[in-house]
Amino acid sequence: MCKGYHIIPRIRHQHLDHDKCMTMLASAGIYLVLDVNSPLSNHHLNRYEPWTSYNLFYFENVFKIVQQFSFYNNTLGFLAGNEVINDPISASVSAPYIKAIIRDIKHYVSINSPRPIPVGYSAADDLNYRIPLAKYLECADNNLMESVDFYGVNSYQWCGDQTFYSSGYNILVNDYKGYSKPVFFSEYGCNEVLPRNFDEVPILYTNDMIDVFNGGLVYEFTQEANNYGLVEILPNGDVKLLRDFLQLKHKFESIPELDYNFIVEAMKENAKEIQMRIKQSQSTVPKCEVSYQNLDISRGVPDTIVDIMIDTGVNVERGKFVHLNKSEMQTKNIFYQPNGEVFNTVYEIDVVVDFEIDDENSNDKQRSHKSGTYNPQDVNDDPPNGKEKESLQSIDPNPETHKESPSSEPDQDDTNEHDEEKPNVIVETFHKVTDSVKNFWASIFT
């Protein structure tokens, strides 16, 4: 089964019941970065006439999605837009409206969500707008909520047999070096040269990039007409794993252990830059410039039209984790390898995260088994195949802390279910090397 750092799906429709799906994803350690827009009418910003779509109908749909998914704690962040600016016309009118949507969603989250959830933007990596749009969405003057919390880059410049330098990744890293917000690839995986070998994957997680980019999302999971899929969904619901899936899986499994000392030094350097910025402008967010190349921001950010909607909230069913029985954690569909042979795998969700489910019908909570593992099946069901799953720590806002090899299995020699829980070595190592800078970070913001 897929792990949380491999796939972060986008689910958009607020009128559907996502409770079971989100519970399955959470159990498997999978987080979501959620695009609040869709191609439906009144569900997206008109890039050429944004003033016509910046209206109450649009925000009612957006806020319903935000409200519903805020209550799933594996919702990692919201995308206020995706490639809205991609040509000179959209660049001449849309930038201030993107900033307004970011502001309004962040304001809604601050008032109505049970926890802070970051709001960002996913940008087409067009050289005409790469630096100016990133800087414009980063900046803020009087209202800090106009600044993105994170920035996604849709990059397809690594095509075929490339290197860090021939692909231009070195320039990409240099362009975003010093950016004050987290940056990651919101899409990557060029298919202009086939088959895709995903040689950029190990580079993305090495010292060449990890001090600037926070990983990325491969485009895309299911095969569509544009031929970017990792798997093909057959008419009967069965799944054919494509060659790209197996190659990507191999690349993820072969990523070397991160250089944590390098990460700590990069964190120290970033902290110094933030401290200097605070001294210079009394803010961690850069002040906006008068103009940005290739963007027209002369109209200014439009005033909000949703103050009342934000204050009162929208009426939508809150998302919640639910109890799932054994059959709901399994599938009867078959997985096939690219050559047509049946893929030898376990046809059930691999539960890797321990968490609780609120039971609205009683004062009790469904808690873990004695082994410390959350079991989404009924409490009377035996674990599948008689195996106890190894427990991991509760969902963490940082999915990087849960990285494991997809092929990891419980130790077959462990026969005592009361044995002490095995530590997450990656998490412990990262915490160990970052302890030395915690006080330094704290001193910056006090």
Side-chain angles (χ1 to χ4, degrees):
M1 290 295 176
C2 54
K3 304 297 184 185
Y5 61 97
H6 287 183
I7 301 169
I8 303 186
R10 297 175 181 174
I11 303 176
R12 295 171 176 166
H13 209 299
Q14 76 274 19
H15 298 298
L16 300 178
D17 185 344
H18 301 290
D19 290 348
K20 288 185 178 181
C21 176
M22 291 297 291
T23 302
M24 294 177 188
L25 294 177
S27 300
I30 298 176
Y31 297 79
L32 274 80
V33 174
L34 205 62
D35 192 338
V36 299
N37 301 276
S38 82
L40 299 175
S41 177
N42 293 319
H43 283 69
H44 63 275
L45 191 69
N46 183 328
R47 60 166 51 92
Y48 299 130
E49 297 179 335
W51 53 88
T52 64
S53 52
Y54 184 82
N55 55 45
L56 296 180
F57 298 104
Y58 170 72
F59 276 105
E60 183 180 13
N61 291 317
V62 168
F63 290 160
K64 283 182 176 179
I65 293 173
V66 171
Q67 179 76 19
Q68 185 178 39
F69 282 89
S70 292
F71 286 84
Y72 302 116
N73 67 358
N74 58 332
T75 298
L76 187 63
F78 295 114
L79 288 171
N82 176 59
E83 298 192 1
V84 177
I85 292 177
N86 60 3
D87 60 18
I89 299 176
S90 57
S92 68
V93 292
S94 287
Y97 284 90
I98 297 173
K99 212 167 179 64
I101 294 172
I102 292 169
R103 173 201 63 201
D104 294 338
I105 295 176
K106 290 178 68 171
H107 191 190
Y108 188 92
V109 168
S110 69
I111 299 296
N112 297 284
S113 295
R115 61 188 173 90
I117 302 175
V119 179
Y121 177 77
S122 180
D125 189 32
D126 188 317
L127 292 178
N128 293 312
Y129 317 113
R130 175 189 287 178
I131 295 178
L133 181 59
K135 288 187 174 181
Y136 177 63
L137 295 185
E138 174 191 28
C139 78
D141 288 328
N142 299 323
N143 189 347
L144 295 182
M145 286 194 177
E146 292 178 358
S147 173
V148 289
D149 295 319
F150 63 89
Y151 197 76
V153 180
N154 296 347
S155 176
Y156 292 92
Q157 63 190 67
W158 188 303
C159 297
D161 188 13
Q162 297 278 2
T163 68
F164 178 68
Y165 295 97
S166 67
S167 65
Y169 267 34
N170 61 318
I171 300 174
L172 190 67
V173 168
N174 187 65
D175 286 343
Y176 286 103
K177 198 173 186 66
Y179 199 67
S180 65
K181 303 302 175 71
V183 184
F184 68 98
F185 282 163
S186 42
E187 293 179 16
Y188 75 97
C190 172
N191 70 350
E192 292 182 7
V193 178
L194 295 175
R196 292 192 289 180
N197 289 326
F198 296 107
D199 292 329
E200 67 268 44
V201 169
I203 300 297
L204 186 56
Y205 296 96
T206 60
N207 291 2
D208 286 330
M209 300 190 70
I210 59 175
D211 59 332
V212 176
F213 280 89
N214 296 270
L217 313 178
V218 172
Y219 186 83
E220 62 181 327
F221 190 63
T222 56
Q223 182 73 298
E224 307 292 344
N226 57 12
N227 197 35
Y228 279 93
L230 300 176
V231 306
E232 180 183 356
I233 308 298
L234 303 178
N236 66 350
D238 290 346
V239 178
K240 181 180 181 181
L241 306 180
L242 303 180
R243 183 223 178 246
D244 286 1
F245 178 95
L246 298 179
Q247 182 65 15
L248 178 62
K249 180 176 181 290
H250 169 70
K251 290 295 183 179
F252 276 130
E253 290 174 343
S254 60
I255 292 175
E257 184 174 351
L258 296 178
D259 185 345
Y260 295 104
N261 290 325
F262 178 84
I263 294 174
V264 169
E265 291 304 315
M267 290 172 63
K268 289 181 179 179
E269 191 64 30
N270 289 339
K272 291 178 181 178
E273 293 179 5
I274 293 174
Q275 193 174 47
M276 183 178 301
R277 191 178 296 122
I278 293 174
K279 290 181 178 179
Q280 292 175 346
S281 62
Q282 303 302 311
S283 174
T284 59
V285 178
K287 294 292 183 181
C288 292
E289 301 173 11
V290 176
S291 62
Y292 292 87
Q293 186 178 13
N294 299 326
L295 297 179
D296 186 352
I297 62 170
S298 59
R299 298 185 183 186
V301 180
D303 293 334
T304 185
I305 59 172
V306 288
D307 277 340
I308 296 177
M309 193 179 296
I310 290 174
D311 289 339
T312 59
V314 294
N315 184 21
V316 68
E317 185 74 21
R318 293 179 177 181
K320 62 184 180 301
F321 293 139
V322 295
H323 298 292
L324 300 176
N325 58 41
K326 181 182 294 186
S327 64
E328 291 172 315
M329 297 293 284
Q330 299 173 336
T331 180
K332 295 181 180 179
N333 294 111
I334 307 299
F335 293 80
Y336 295 96
Q337 298 190 60
N339 61 6
E341 296 181 1
V342 174
F343 184 66
N344 185 21
T345 186
V346 179
Y347 286 79
E348 63 185 30
I349 291 178
D350 185 12
V351 179
V352 299
V353 173
D354 175 19
F355 62 94
E356 297 177 350
I357 295 178
D358 290 325
D359 189 345
E360 297 179 353
N361 298 321
S362 70
N363 294 324
D364 297 327
K365 290 183 177 181
Q366 174 67 41
R367 296 191 180 273
S368 309
H369 285 321
K370 290 183 292 183
S371 62
T373 306
Y374 162 69
N375 192 333
Q377 303 157 5
D378 291 339
V379 293
N380 293 327
D381 288 337
D382 293 328
N385 301 325
K387 294 181 179 179
E388 287 284 347
K389 301 290 184 178
E390 184 176 355
S391 174
L392 295 181
Q393 65 181 33
S394 299
I395 290 179
D396 189 293
N398 182 6
E400 293 295 316
T401 63
H402 292 296
K403 286 190 178 180
E404 281 199 337
S405 168
S407 62
S408 62
E409 294 290 344
D411 190 346
Q412 299 300 320
D413 295 331
D414 288 348
T415 57
N416 187 348
E417 67 177 8
H418 299 288
D419 282 350
E420 185 176 351
E421 201 173 279
K422 294 183 178 180
N424 188 321
V425 177
I426 293 179
V427 174
E428 287 193 354
T429 304
F430 185 78
H431 287 171
K432 181 178 180 180
V433 297
T434 56
D435 280 344
S436 62
V437 295
K438 284 183 178 179
N439 292 334
F440 182 75
W441 276 93
S443 67
I444 294 176
F445 299 102
T446 57

